[in-house]
Amino acid sequence: MAEPTGPAPDLPRAAGRRPLMTGQPPPPPKDSREQAGPSPNLIRVIAAACGLIVANLYYAQPLAGPISATLGMPESQSGLIVTITQIGYCLGLLLIVPLADLLENRSLIVWMTRLVMLALLALPFSHHPLPFLLAIGLVGILSVAVQILVPFAASLAPEAIRGRVVGNVMSGLMLGIMLARPVSSFVTEFSSWHTIFLISAGIMLVLSLLPQRILPEHKPTTHTPYGTLLRSMGTLLFTTRILQRRAFYHACLFGAFSLFWTVTPLLLAAPPFLFSQGQIALFAFVGVAGAIAAPIAGHIADRGWTWPATLAAMALVSLAFLTSAVMPQSVFIVVLALAGIVIDFGVTANLVLGQRALFVLPAENRARLNGLYMAIFFMGGAAGSALGSWAYAYGGWPLASALGAALPALAFAVCLTEKRR
């Protein structure tokens, strides 16, 4: 009997039977979630959480006067309210954020959000300076949960879209920073300073319930003891060149950002403008437009254009200060508002570019690198605020804007020396 010729007909494969093939076995199927990255809805929730948590650091800044008056603090000591919050945040960056390289991240975020809620609740019920300052210091320490969320989001994304994901999350964070001051001013104008902290405590309660429901578990691979982990931060700082450069760049830019938003309320409240607290709050809303820089910068970084984009961000910030210094009084407010938008745009872009550069380094060091990066540029912001107040007191807006332009110009000059592959 002759054998049939030609190709064999396609027969249905029996369920569970391995196909008869020669050569190498088929590659394992790829997880589509891993290829596509986190869902847009998850990133939106993380971005919103970042903005709402980081806002806790800034609610008290425009309210230092009424808060200190209620607590019986001398006017000369009202600056402690902001200073203690900043010190707490820096301590949290150096002492708490490294735990994200050691402990399961989702549980850590949940517990920190619950604790910051309790610290916020203590603020409106404090009747003396010491308990208030202790509570606001704890708010600063525990608000570093936001700096665990950002690398957490980066870890969910494949490298090809990591800059885009970080940029979208950072847009939420920057919106929280920019909206916190005007929102707290408006709430206080219609109520009292106690109300904004009660509202924020309620928001933190809701946020403490969300991560457990929507965030996946994220267990770090390192098993280094906590003490060794802290000591390793010094090693990372002195051996990671990209961290040194990006932290210096953003310390200069964040210093300029803090200088601008410290000095402009003083400038607008003084003659000839004489803005009210509500009008100053409205002016502060213009900076919100700068938050659109975050996703744009993320896309640019994913394309490999980090170095020219960094130089462009620095140049924009410096030029914005210089332009506002030479404008006539008839258009000064409009130009100052536009300068605020450009400054916020440049600073936000540079922040995302820096984080994208750090988040391609080994994942086991990511939280510590981010904590060091944030702590260094946050200190630059504190220095910028102090320099701005001093410059405005002795030389008005011309001296303050000259200093504001000099800081990003210094970063620009250093960035030109960067060796690129």
Side-chain angles (χ1 to χ4, degrees):
M1 186 173 184
E3 294 182 1
T5 59
D10 290 334
L11 298 175
R13 184 181 300 166
R17 182 177 296 172
R18 182 177 297 176
L20 298 174
M21 295 178 64
T22 60
Q24 296 295 323
K30 294 183 178 179
D31 188 344
S32 60
R33 290 175 302 174
E34 184 180 329
Q35 295 299 309
S39 70
N41 286 337
L42 178 59
I43 293 304
R44 289 188 197 104
V45 171
I46 294 175
C50 285
L52 291 166
I53 293 170
V54 81
N56 293 323
L57 300 171
Y58 298 93
Y59 288 137
Q61 286 194 1
L63 309 179
I67 291 172
S68 59
T70 302
L71 299 175
M73 296 172 64
E75 188 176 349
S76 60
Q77 295 180 10
S78 62
L80 281 174
I81 294 169
V82 177
T83 303
I84 295 295
T85 311
Q86 292 174 335
I87 291 172
Y89 192 67
C90 284
L91 286 174
L93 287 169
L94 296 174
L95 300 177
I96 306 295
V97 169
L99 288 172
D101 286 336
L102 191 62
L103 303 177
E104 199 279 308
N105 283 197
R106 184 178 67 182
S107 299
L108 186 59
I109 292 164
V110 168
W111 279 105
M112 289 181 70
T113 310
R114 290 172 181 170
L115 291 172
V116 80
M117 175 198 68
L118 295 176
L120 286 163
L121 278 176
L123 295 175
F125 298 104
S126 299
H127 303 291
H128 298 284
L130 183 58
F132 183 91
L133 293 174
L134 287 172
I136 200 110
L138 283 173
V139 169
I141 290 172
L142 295 165
S143 292
V144 297
V146 73
Q147 298 308 335
I148 298 172
L149 271 168
V150 175
F152 183 93
S155 70
L156 298 176
E159 189 172 331
I161 62 165
R162 190 167 293 155
R164 195 183 320 163
V165 169
V166 171
N168 289 334
V169 171
M170 292 305 296
S171 65
L173 185 144
M174 293 306 296
L175 279 172
I177 292 174
M178 295 167 187
L179 287 171
R181 298 181 186 94
V183 165
S184 65
S185 293
F186 278 126
V187 169
T188 302
E189 189 165 335
F190 294 103
S191 181
S192 72
W193 63 264
H194 305 77
T195 307
I196 188 65
F197 297 116
L198 291 172
I199 292 172
S200 186
I203 292 171
M204 292 303 106
L205 175 61
V206 174
L207 280 183
S208 70
L209 302 174
L210 277 178
Q212 219 152 12
R213 293 172 178 265
I214 65 168
L215 294 184
E217 279 193 350
H218 180 63
K219 295 179 180 179
T221 56
T222 182
H223 300 288
T224 308
Y226 178 64
T228 307
L229 208 63
L230 290 182
R231 288 192 294 273
S232 72
M233 294 179 76
T235 304
L236 286 172
L237 178 60
F238 288 110
T239 59
T240 311
R241 188 66 174 162
I242 188 66
L243 170 64
Q244 295 167 1
R245 281 189 169 270
R246 297 308 315 194
F248 175 77
Y249 298 160
H250 205 66
C252 291
L253 266 73
F254 199 64
F257 171 90
S258 298
L259 183 149
F260 183 86
W261 291 109
T262 297
V263 172
T264 48
L266 302 174
L267 174 67
L268 295 174
F273 306 111
L274 299 174
F275 275 28
S276 68
Q277 187 72 26
Q279 289 172 318
I280 292 172
L282 281 173
F283 180 87
F285 271 117
V286 302
V288 174
I292 65 169
I296 295 172
H299 280 282
I300 289 172
D302 284 339
R303 290 177 175 268
W305 299 338
T306 296
W307 188 74
T310 299
L311 289 173
M314 295 166 178
L316 280 173
V317 175
S318 193
L319 287 171
F321 274 104
L322 291 175
T323 304
S324 67
V326 299
M327 285 296 111
Q329 190 172 316
S330 58
V331 294
F332 179 76
I333 294 297
V334 174
V335 173
L336 191 67
L338 291 173
I341 295 171
V342 172
I343 289 166
D344 287 2
F345 185 95
V347 172
T348 302
N350 191 69
L351 173 60
V352 174
L353 292 168
Q355 287 189 304
R356 174 64 172 82
L358 293 176
F359 289 164
V360 297
L361 299 178
E364 63 268 19
N365 300 328
R366 192 168 286 155
R368 281 167 289 160
L369 288 168
N370 191 53
L372 285 165
Y373 177 58
M374 291 283 170
I376 292 168
F377 84 64
F378 204 82
M379 287 187 279
S385 293
L387 278 173
S389 301
W390 171 84
Y392 183 73
Y394 286 95
W397 180 247
L399 180 57
S401 59
L403 274 174
L407 288 170
L410 174 62
F412 188 95
V414 174
C415 189
L416 287 175
T417 69
E418 186 175 314
K419 291 182 180 179
R420 295 176 294 129
R421 292 179 181 177

